[in-house]
Amino acid sequence: MITQETVDRLIRFEGHGIPVVSVYARADVGPVGRRDFRTRVNELLDQIRPTADDTKLDHDARMSLRDDVARIAEVAEREPIKPGTAAFLSCSARGLFEEVSLPRPVHDRVHIDATPWIRPLAAVLDEYHRTCAVWIDKAWARVWELYMDEMHEIGSFRDRTIRKTAYASPFEEWHVRNKSDELSKKHFRRAAGHLADLFRGRGFDLLVIGGHPHEVAVFTEFLPRELRERIAGTFTIDPESATPADLRKSVDAIVHNYEQEEQRRLVDEVVGAAAAGKPAVVGLRPCLWAGSVAAVQTLFVHDEEVTPGVVCDRDGWLALEGETCPLCGESTRHTPDVIDELVTTVIDESGTVKHVKTETPLQEHIAAASLRFPLPPAPESQR
């Protein structure tokens, strides 16, 4: 499974003149899926096999590429671990080989570049919120974790409650109801404390609450403010009759709607900030310049966009075109996806990257960014 540690390790990788092969192929399980997966990987490798024989590359680079192709083809003979996408990132001469399973399909692609092509990894990692789902009533609490398309129960407990009974007098009814309310409050406080501990220990991003509406409303009042701010939504379901698939469907729908609304809101905010003259830019060219000077706080890119460009490996200048760097005069390196170089730069400079899948103005502008500081004038070639 993809992790932040994997992405960070790949960002820090240096080929030092030896090219890196990055292959992404849709993975399906079962005999037919295994055969189709193997065919797709080999077709992608066929695109780069001639490069491994190109005499314009030095001997070490050619030998490394041949080893990369052979190893990826060998690993692809195995059945994919899970449906989704299998990613292979290899630079044999420098000891790099990463096989990563992504939970959803991305486009089949192969890249040869000076650095690993990490954009699909970063996009998938950013896309999934670690979600805590809880079902609550006045005596019972059950908790699940949802992350990377996997959901499993991580805890449950019951507390004492009073069963309904016949009352001998109005005073007895009042007393029993009062005692029942006190027990419910004690249960809700315990459940709220348990969730607070889970959020601190597991790093959850979102909270989804299920149960009867009036009990959910009461329970929410017992949550600390930092948890109330993480609530993505609530749902009504009866755990006695609902199947795990019913629960998963309810939670997935809430998280999906939350993520879409969040993407629209964040993009609207950065576009509005740029229009108001605040530290923000809209469009790929200004975002590349902002990345070149380490000014990006949060980068927004439209999902699956791939754009060729150039990069200066000496000072990190990024642009759509240019044979020489205007900052240092060194020759630039052509890259098949300059957005990937930008994503890597932003993450490496402790910025944040958001890949946007829903309909927003980014479909037209490709990229936008909030900035740490106003940009200095860009070189003439990048305006």
Side-chain angles (χ1 to χ4, degrees), residues 80-353:
I81 300 173
K82 295 178 180 179
T85 298
F88 306 99
L89 302 106
S90 182
C91 182
S92 298
R94 298 290 183 249
L96 172 70
F97 188 82
E98 291 278 354
E99 179 184 2
V100 184
S101 177
L102 305 184
R104 70 167 175 85
V106 301
H107 288 317
D108 290 354
R109 287 201 180 106
V110 58
H111 278 248
I112 298 178
D113 205 356
T115 58
W117 194 55
I118 64 145
R119 269 194 65 210
L121 304 184
V124 169
L125 192 64
D126 169 66
E127 178 182 336
Y128 288 89
H129 290 85
R130 191 176 295 276
T131 301
C132 177
V134 58
W135 185 92
I136 191 84
D137 70 3
K138 63 182 181 180
W140 190 18
R142 297 178 66 185
V143 186
W144 294 264
E145 179 179 25
L146 174 66
Y147 187 59
M148 291 285 181
D149 282 350
E150 295 184 358
M151 186 170 179
H152 60 277
E153 190 168 357
I154 58 175
S156 65
F157 58 85
R158 286 180 181 271
D159 284 315
R160 181 187 168 202
T161 187
I162 297 177
R163 296 180 178 179
K164 292 182 178 180
T165 184
Y167 303 113
S169 67
F171 175 77
E172 182 183 9
E173 179 180 358
W174 174 85
H175 177 74
V176 171
R177 291 186 183 279
N178 187 59
K179 181 63 175 178
S180 178
D181 288 343
E182 288 301 317
L183 290 174
S184 296
K185 292 175 182 178
K186 183 178 180 180
H187 169 68
F188 287 152
R189 280 194 291 269
R190 179 187 177 192
H194 182 65
L195 289 180
D197 290 340
L198 285 175
F199 266 73
R200 284 191 292 268
R202 291 178 175 258
F204 286 115
D205 302 306
L206 302 177
L207 176 61
V208 176
I209 306 173
H212 300 295
H214 68 281
E215 290 174 330
V216 170
V218 173
F219 171 63
T220 301
E221 295 301 314
F222 285 85
L223 295 173
R225 184 179 64 180
E226 59 268 23
L227 260 63
R228 290 200 299 269
E229 293 174 349
R230 301 287 187 92
I231 296 175
T234 63
F235 63 97
T236 301
I237 197 169
D238 181 3
E240 299 288 351
S241 59
T243 66
D246 294 332
L247 176 72
R248 174 68 181 272
K249 184 177 180 180
S250 297
V251 176
D252 278 344
I254 289 172
V255 172
H256 178 71
N257 290 336
Y258 175 89
E259 290 171 341
Q260 285 197 320
E261 288 301 317
E262 181 187 51
Q263 289 181 0
R264 294 189 187 99
R265 175 179 59 80
L266 292 174
V267 170
D268 286 345
E269 287 177 359
V270 72
V271 171
K278 297 179 180 179
V281 291
V282 176
L284 184 53
R285 284 185 184 274
C287 285
L288 291 172
W289 174 236
S292 301
V293 295
V296 176
Q297 182 66 49
T298 302
L299 174 70
F300 300 87
V301 293
H302 191 62
D303 194 44
E304 301 288 357
E305 290 285 347
V306 174
T307 303
V310 296
V311 57
C312 175
D313 289 321
R314 178 175 178 177
D315 56 26
W317 181 68
L318 302 164
L320 294 176
E321 66 278 314
E323 296 302 319
T324 59
C325 173
L327 304 182
C328 67
E330 294 286 331
S331 297
T332 58
R333 167 174 56 85
H334 287 262
T335 175
D337 186 11
V338 74
I339 300 175
D340 182 65
E341 300 281 354
L342 176 60
V343 167
T344 300
T345 297
V346 171
I347 295 175
D348 200 33
E349 294 291 343
S350 300
T352 303
V353 178

Side-chain angles (χ1 to χ4, degrees), residues 289 317 326-327 376-383:
W289 174 236
W317 181 68
L327 304 182
E380 185 67 30
S381 62
Q382 201 165 2
R383 294 175 187 172

Side-chain angles (χ1 to χ4, degrees), residues 19-22 47-49 51-52 57 65 110-115 117 334-336:
V20 181
V21 175
S22 304
Q47 297 178 31
I48 64 172
R49 282 189 170 96
T51 306
L57 294 177
L65 283 174
V110 58
H111 278 248
I112 298 178
D113 205 356
T115 58
W117 194 55
H334 287 262
T335 175

